Amino acid sequence: MPKLKRPADPADASDDGAEFIESLARGLRVIEAFGVERRPMTLSDIAKACDLPRATARRVLLTLRKAGYVASDDRLFALTPRVLALASAYLSSNQISAVLQPLMDEVSATAKEVCSLAILDGDDAVFVARASPARVFSAGIDLGYRLPLFCTSVGRVLLGRLDNDALAATVEAMNLVVQTPETIVDKPTVVATIIADRNRGYSLVDREAEPGFRSIAVPIRRYDGSIVAAANIGAHVDRITTGEMIDRFLPPLQRMAEEARPLIM
């Protein structure tokens, strides 16, 4: 079972260490653990996943249960629908998602494909908005789904916000794990690819993140030109060629990015 990363030691934080609330951080780690495991868990499961003493994990779980975020039959613990209020609060307050959603709906209707929006979070791209041509959530990437930056179209677009030196340092610090036989893990090549993508204004990744799947993404910039998100459309290789992706999907994605730019502060 994978363990969640421990939060930074308050003693190491020069600015906010004195105000760090360890109990709150532990509670958030427990909530995140359910997302990693995707199943109800025992007390022992939670303690191991979060690297917490059993007694501490138990106090956290009982607190979350009293607050309505966790349910339990005294052996297994699971999140309740109330946790969705936390995600809803983020989505409702996130300006990028609010501005892009109607524009993404138009792109999806034009391309007749699912259009997704991702933002940067650590070494991952996290999907925060999605539009489908039928306005229903068909099988595919869910909101909150995380993908590595180095081998995905949205990830490479997001890394393109860095200057060359910062980009090289960031990629050098990453652990590049092979996802498919096509995944590029040579760090200088990854850096060069991201720079080339930045110069041409889009990224097209072919079967590097998932076998048989290719994706094209464009940067979403705010009014001052800074990259704040990435929008993409993906499809199985049996359905579309890379050339067709550029011809069919790139123009509506680029139009959406231009329309959104003056609206994002």
Side-chain angles (χ1 to χ4, degrees):
M1 178 185 303
K3 290 184 179 180
L4 299 182
K5 293 181 181 179
R6 294 181 64 86
D9 189 335
D12 296 334
S14 58
D15 296 326
D16 56 0
E19 299 180 359
F20 185 87
I21 303 175
E22 179 67 21
S23 58
L24 175 59
R26 288 169 176 164
L28 295 174
R29 284 162 58 196
V30 167
I31 290 175
E32 290 175 348
F34 287 100
V36 173
E37 293 300 319
R38 300 188 179 186
R39 62 180 175 83
M41 291 189 284
T42 65
L43 172 60
S44 296
D45 291 336
I46 288 289
K48 184 177 180 181
C50 298
D51 196 18
L52 293 173
R54 280 176 56 91
T56 301
R58 182 175 183 276
R59 289 196 299 272
V60 171
L61 286 166
L62 293 180
T63 300
L64 291 173
R65 184 170 71 176
K66 186 171 183 179
Y69 293 105
V70 165
S72 172
D73 62 1
D74 294 328
R75 189 183 77 85
L76 292 175
F77 294 84
L79 295 180
T80 70
R82 186 167 186 174
V83 172
L84 294 174
L86 301 177
S88 177
Y90 169 77
L91 294 174
S92 298
S93 63
N94 182 268
Q95 183 206 28
I96 299 172
S97 300
V99 168
L100 266 294
Q101 188 64 61
L103 300 178
M104 291 171 60
D105 290 342
E106 293 179 12
V107 170
S108 182
T110 299
K112 296 181 173 55
E113 299 285 350
V114 172
C115 178
S116 302
L117 184 74
I119 61 172
L120 183 69
D121 185 26
D123 287 345
D124 296 328
V126 181
F127 288 89
V128 296
R130 188 169 183 260
S132 86
R135 293 299 298 138
V136 295
F137 277 27
S138 56
I141 292 174
D142 296 322
L143 300 189
Y145 192 79
R146 308 174 77 88
L147 286 174
L149 294 172
F150 78 98
C151 64
T152 58
S153 63
V154 288
R156 288 178 179 171
V157 163
L158 292 169
L159 286 172
R161 69 198 290 180
L162 304 174
D163 63 40
N164 292 355
D165 290 340
L167 173 61
T170 298
V171 173
E172 181 59 34
M174 289 180 174
N175 179 27
L176 308 191
V177 178
V178 171
Q179 309 291 319
T180 77
E182 310 299 326
T183 307
I184 299 172
V185 293
D186 178 71
K187 292 182 178 180
T189 302
V190 171
V191 171
T193 301
I194 294 169
I195 292 173
D197 287 349
R198 182 177 62 204
N199 290 337
R200 67 181 178 178
Y202 68 92
S203 176
L204 198 162
V205 172
D206 189 11
R207 298 166 294 169
E208 288 191 53
E210 181 181 340
F213 189 82
R214 50 178 57 118
S215 172
I216 189 168
V218 300
I220 301 299
R221 301 176 185 272
R222 67 184 186 186
Y223 70 98
D224 62 358
S226 301
I227 296 174
V228 294
N232 86 320
I233 296 176
H236 195 273
V237 296
D238 291 341
R239 293 179 49 224
I240 193 166
T241 67
T242 55
E244 288 172 332
M245 294 193 89
I246 295 171
D247 292 340
R248 286 182 48 199
F249 301 158
L250 184 58
L253 285 170
Q254 290 177 326
R255 285 195 299 270
M256 175 183 68
E258 285 302 312
E259 291 180 31
R261 181 168 175 169
L263 304 177
I264 301 175
M265 298 294 109

